[in-house]
Amino acid sequence: MSDDRERGRRHNRLERRPTDGPRNSMWASWREEKSLFQLVYNYLLVVVARLIPSLRLRSWALRRLGATVGDGVGWGLEATADVFFPERITLGDDCIVGYDAVLLCHEYLQEEYRVGDIVVGDRVMIGAKATVLPGVEIGADAQVAANSLVTEDVPSGATVAGVPAEPVEHGE
């Protein structure tokens, strides 16, 4: 892999936190990160952002969660921000996060969990039911097709699709 490609790998930007003891990281670690009160608060604001019909109020709820939300963001119905680490999400101006899309800033694994920022550039379009994993950066004017799993960075202006999401060539 080239040095440029290696620098763009989300795995290099993730914080890895080992799990002590015999249980998986989801069972053993979440209480160390956030209080139960904070998680309930976050969950309620995530529900507001998912269900309220006003784009302005959705952006307000995301900002109250700690996300950085640019001007003119379109947060689709049922789209879900990370409940544990919403403050690690940055949404650029005029981006669209489609219906039922998920932005996850954490991964719970058996022996560790990982945490990373998600950065969505200006005028990005994330399709319905797409999932973006922690540490991913999506460049300005990029497009993520519906039902895609974004496991790596997406360059500015690129279109990606699939599981995992791969670049799609545009016909001329």
Side-chain angles (χ1 to χ4, degrees):
M1 184 178 294
S2 75
D3 288 340
D4 287 340
R5 174 93 170 122
E6 186 63 29
R7 274 194 299 276
R9 290 182 49 86
R10 74 178 183 95
H11 289 91
N12 296 336
R13 290 187 293 272
L14 296 178
E15 297 168 23
R16 289 171 167 73
R17 300 173 182 170
T19 300
D20 295 326
R23 291 210 146 144
N24 68 60
S25 63
M26 181 179 274
W27 183 263
S29 302
W30 69 266
R31 290 177 299 257
E32 296 170 13
E33 292 289 344
K34 305 285 178 163
S35 70
L36 180 59
F37 174 79
Q38 183 67 57
L39 287 177
V40 169
Y41 176 81
N42 286 2
Y43 183 78
L44 292 173
L45 285 172
V46 166
V47 169
V48 168
R50 285 177 52 107
L51 300 177
I52 200 149
S54 165
L55 289 174
R56 182 172 291 140
L57 289 176
R58 287 186 203 153
S59 289
W60 172 85
L62 292 167
R63 287 185 183 108
R64 294 291 300 168
L65 284 164
T68 301
V69 180
D71 293 332
V73 168
W75 188 262
L77 281 172
E78 302 288 338
T80 303
D82 189 289
V83 172
F84 284 93
F85 301 97
E87 68 277 7
R88 299 188 81 131
I89 296 172
T90 299
L91 302 170
D93 294 343
D94 299 307
C95 72
I96 296 171
V97 178
Y99 176 84
D100 207 22
V102 178
L103 278 59
L104 288 175
C105 297
H106 72 282
E107 302 176 306
Y108 284 115
L109 306 171
Q110 289 298 324
E111 297 181 11
E112 72 175 1
Y113 64 105
R114 302 172 187 162
V115 179
D117 297 343
I118 291 177
V119 178
V120 177
D122 294 345
R123 296 170 313 283
V124 166
M125 193 285 302
I126 299 174
K129 297 186 181 282
T131 299
V132 180
L133 295 183
V136 166
E137 296 178 2
I138 303 174
D141 298 303
Q143 298 179 51
V144 175
N147 293 306
S148 295
L149 175 63
V150 185
T151 63
E152 297 293 338
D153 292 349
V154 179
S156 294
T159 299
V160 297
V163 178
E166 297 288 339
V168 174
E169 297 298 322
H170 293 288
E172 296 190 23

